Amino acid sequence: MDRKEIVIGLAKPELPELLSQSRWLKLVDLFSVSHDSQIYNRDDRRSVFYAQSWLTVHFFMTKNMMKQAAPM
């Protein structure tokens, strides 16, 4: 995001590398993270959480599965 435009959906260049070099969170752990979670508050796991969250949402969006992923 800058003063002229917002780009949505593009990965930061370091995210794929981070995921290829890190141990991923189990899905149950990924979906249960909150602001007071140990995973969220540990610097070494927070980056993996953000990268894996981006990848998960990107997958759901590209597969047109957002309604199934987050039913209202």
Side-chain angles (χ1 to χ4, degrees):
M1 182 169 109
D2 62 27
R3 291 183 175 191
K4 294 184 179 185
E5 68 181 346
I6 297 173
V7 179
I8 297 174
L10 298 177
K12 291 182 179 181
E14 64 270 15
L15 292 184
E17 184 176 343
L18 174 69
L19 288 173
S20 71
Q21 296 176 354
S22 301
R23 184 174 49 88
W24 288 29
L25 300 170
K26 295 177 184 177
L27 287 179
V28 67
D29 295 333
L30 178 68
F31 285 103
S32 64
V33 170
S34 64
H35 287 284
D36 59 345
S37 298
Q38 184 179 16
I39 291 170
Y40 187 81
N41 290 293
R42 282 181 46 198
D43 290 335
D44 62 324
R45 299 305 289 157
R46 187 181 313 128
S47 295
V48 173
F49 164 72
Y50 279 122
Q52 195 174 341
S53 295
W54 169 83
L55 182 62
T56 303
V57 170
H58 181 76
F59 173 80
F60 287 144
M61 290 180 75
T62 59
K63 300 294 183 182
N64 294 319
M65 297 173 60
M66 288 303 288
K67 287 184 181 178
Q68 295 94 323
M72 296 198 147

